[in-house]
Amino acid sequence: MADLLSKQAYADIAASLELRTQAFIDGRFVAAKSGNTFVTTNPATGAELARISACDSQDVDVAVAAAKAAFEDGRWSGLHPAARKSVLQQFAQLLEDHAHELAVLESLDSGKPVRECQNIDVPETIHTLRWHAELIDKIYDATAPVGNGAVTMVVREPIGVVGLVLPWNFPLLMLAWKIGPSLAAGCSIVVKPAKETTLTALRVAELAHQAGVPAGVFNVVPGSGKEAGEPIGRHPDIAGVSFTGSTDTGRLFLKYAAESNLKRVVLELGGKNPAVVMNDVEDIDQVAQHVVNGAFWNMGENCSASSRLIVHSQVKDELLERVQVHLRDWKLGDPLDPDNRLGSMVSKAHFEKVRSYLEHASEAQLRVVTGGQTEQGVYVQPTIVDGVTPESRLFKEEIFGPVLSVTTFETLEEAIELANDTNYGLAASAYTGNLRNALKLSRGIRAGIVTVNCFGEGDASTPFGGYKESGFGGRDKSQWAHDQYTELKTIWIDAS
C-alpha cells in the first residue's frame, strides 16, 4: 500500500490543482466545435469543479481523422515494438511521478475515498500500463505445419483506430485496462470518458503525450453518451469499440456496429454477483472480512461487487455478526479524509436510484440488519438486508451501491442454483473448507471470474469479463486483452 498523506495534505493538493477542461485531440487541448460545455461537480460537496468541453459528432470526426492519420503514417503503429515499450514505460513513470495529484483528482471527480485512489486505483493503473508494455515484445506469432511446399505465417497486426468508452466508477483503472493493450498493439485511440468523471482521462492523455506518445495517437472527447458516445459507435473509420458500462448501453453499441461498418465490439457490462458461504468454512471471521470488502469496496459502485450473500442457514447468524463487527472500520464521510473508506455516490441521480432500493426494502418489510439510511448530500450508509428471496428486486437488479442482500440455502446444489439465478455472470466468490465443494462451486457457477475463499478480480495477468449479459466479444486484462485490438493475418508463401 502507498503511504497515505494527511487530510490537510490532500486538501492542499486539491486546492492547487490546475484542471484540464478541453478535449485532447491531435496532441493539444481544444474547445468543442460547438463551444458548448457541461459542468462537472464534486459529488461529495455538490460544488462545481469545472466546465468541460461538450464534444459532439463534429469533434469525434476530427479526433478520428487525427487518429486515422497517425495510424496510417505509422508514427506509432509502425514503431519497433521495443520503441513502443520504451514510451509506455516512460508514460507509466510520469503517472507515478504524479500519483498524489491523480489520486486527489480522481477522488474529487468521483466521490471515491482518496485512500482507495491512492492505494489501489493509481498503483494498479501504473502497474497495468507497465505490464502491457512489457508484453509488447513477448507475444510471438506463429507458423503453420503446411509441408515443404510452402511457408505460412500467422501474424498479428493492430486493428486500427479504436474507440474506448469508459464508466464512471473506476475512471483511471478502466482507462488503463483499455489503453494498455490497445496502445501496446499499435492502435490509435479515441477515448470517451464518462460525463461524470472526465478530469483524470484528460490529464492522463496530456502525460502520455509528454512521455512520447505521438500526436493523434491518444485523443479524448468528453461529452454525453448521445452526443459523443453514439458517434464513436457509428463512425465508419473506427475499427473497434471497447465499452465498459451498463448492459442497456452495451446493447446500443452492438446496434451501432450493425448499422454502420460492423466494427468489432467488446463489452464489459453489469453484474449481480454471488458470495456463496458454505457451513464448512474454516475461518468465519476471515470470510466476514472478504464479504465486507466485496460488498462495500468503492461504495458498491463496482460491477464485480459481491452484492448477493448466499449463505448456509447454519452459519448465517454468526457470519452477519462478524460482518457487522468489521463494518465498523468502514467509516463513511469526506472522501479526501484518508481515514474514511466510504465516500459519496457519484451523482444525485445515482444516489436517488440507490435510495429507491432502500425504500423498497422498507416497503417489503425486509429485515435491515444495518444501515438502510441516507445521510446529508449523496451519501448512503452501508446496508445489509436479510431475508431476500429470488423474487425480490434486491436479488435480481444491479443496485450499484452499498447494499448487500442476504439469502440462505441448505444444500450445495441449491447454492449453485441461487448463484446462477441471474441474467448476469461476471464474478462470484465461494467460501468453503472442503476442496471438493470448492471445485463444484467454482465449476458450477456460471461466471467469468470465480474466487475461492477470497474476494478479488485476479491481477493484470488474468482475464476479466463475464458470461451472459455481463459481457461480449472479449476480455480486459491479461494477454488475451491484446486479441481484441489486433487482427490475425495468414501469410502463405509458395515454396514449390
Side-chain angles (χ1 to χ4, degrees), residues 438-480:
L439 290 172
K440 287 183 177 180
L441 288 165
S442 58
R443 287 292 193 177
I445 296 174
R446 299 280 295 166
I449 306 107
V450 180
T451 58
V452 178
N453 291 330
C454 64
F455 166 77
E457 299 172 349
D459 63 13
S461 68
T462 57
F464 183 91
Y467 292 11
K468 300 187 283 187
E469 293 182 19
S470 287
F472 178 90
R475 292 290 190 264
D476 287 319
K477 300 199 307 177
S478 80
Q479 68 181 42
W480 285 277

Side-chain angles (χ1 to χ4, degrees), residues 395-415:
F395 188 93
K396 292 183 175 297
E397 299 174 15
E398 185 179 34
I399 300 171
F400 226 62
V403 181
L404 174 66
S405 68
V406 182
T407 306
T408 57
F409 69 89
E410 302 299 331
T411 67
L412 182 142
E413 290 73 23
E414 183 187 1

Side-chain angles (χ1 to χ4, degrees), residues 55 99 132 248 329 454 481 490:
C55 293
H132 287 289
D248 287 344
D329 296 330
C454 64
T490 296

Side-chain angles (χ1 to χ4, degrees), residues 311-465:
V311 56
H312 197 286
S313 61
Q314 292 178 356
V315 297
K316 184 195 77 170
D317 291 343
E318 184 182 1
L319 178 61
L320 290 182
E321 288 177 6
R322 298 309 305 164
V323 164
Q324 291 177 79
V325 169
H326 289 291
L327 196 51
R328 293 171 192 159
D329 296 330
W330 288 62
K331 296 179 181 178
L332 174 68
D334 179 4
L336 283 184
D337 184 341
D339 287 339
N340 293 328
R341 300 185 69 176
L342 293 162
S344 70
M345 296 289 95
V346 73
S347 66
K348 179 68 172 177
H350 187 62
F351 168 80
E352 293 296 344
K353 175 194 171 185
V354 175
R355 182 165 68 175
S356 73
Y357 288 97
L358 303 183
E359 293 170 348
H360 171 74
S362 177
E363 292 165 0
Q365 297 183 329
L366 297 171
R367 185 171 81 93
V368 176
V369 177
T370 188
Q373 302 295 320
T374 61
E375 298 190 3
Q376 185 175 2
V378 291
Y379 290 85
V380 176
Q381 294 176 354
T383 298
I384 301 172
V385 183
D386 192 13
V388 177
T389 66
E391 294 73 35
S392 171
R393 288 179 58 202
L394 297 178
F395 188 93
K396 292 183 175 297
E397 299 174 15
E398 185 179 34
I399 300 171
F400 226 62
V403 181
L404 174 66
S405 68
V406 182
T407 306
T408 57
F409 69 89
E410 302 299 331
T411 67
L412 182 142
E413 290 73 23
E414 183 187 1
I416 293 174
E417 182 179 353
L418 287 168
N420 289 333
D421 187 10
T422 173
N423 293 333
Y424 298 108
L426 182 57
S429 300
Y431 299 90
T432 175
N434 183 291
L435 178 59
R436 180 170 295 181
N437 287 343
L439 290 172
K440 287 183 177 180
L441 288 165
S442 58
R443 287 292 193 177
I445 296 174
R446 299 280 295 166
I449 306 107
V450 180
T451 58
V452 178
N453 291 330
C454 64
F455 166 77
E457 299 172 349
D459 63 13
S461 68
T462 57
F464 183 91

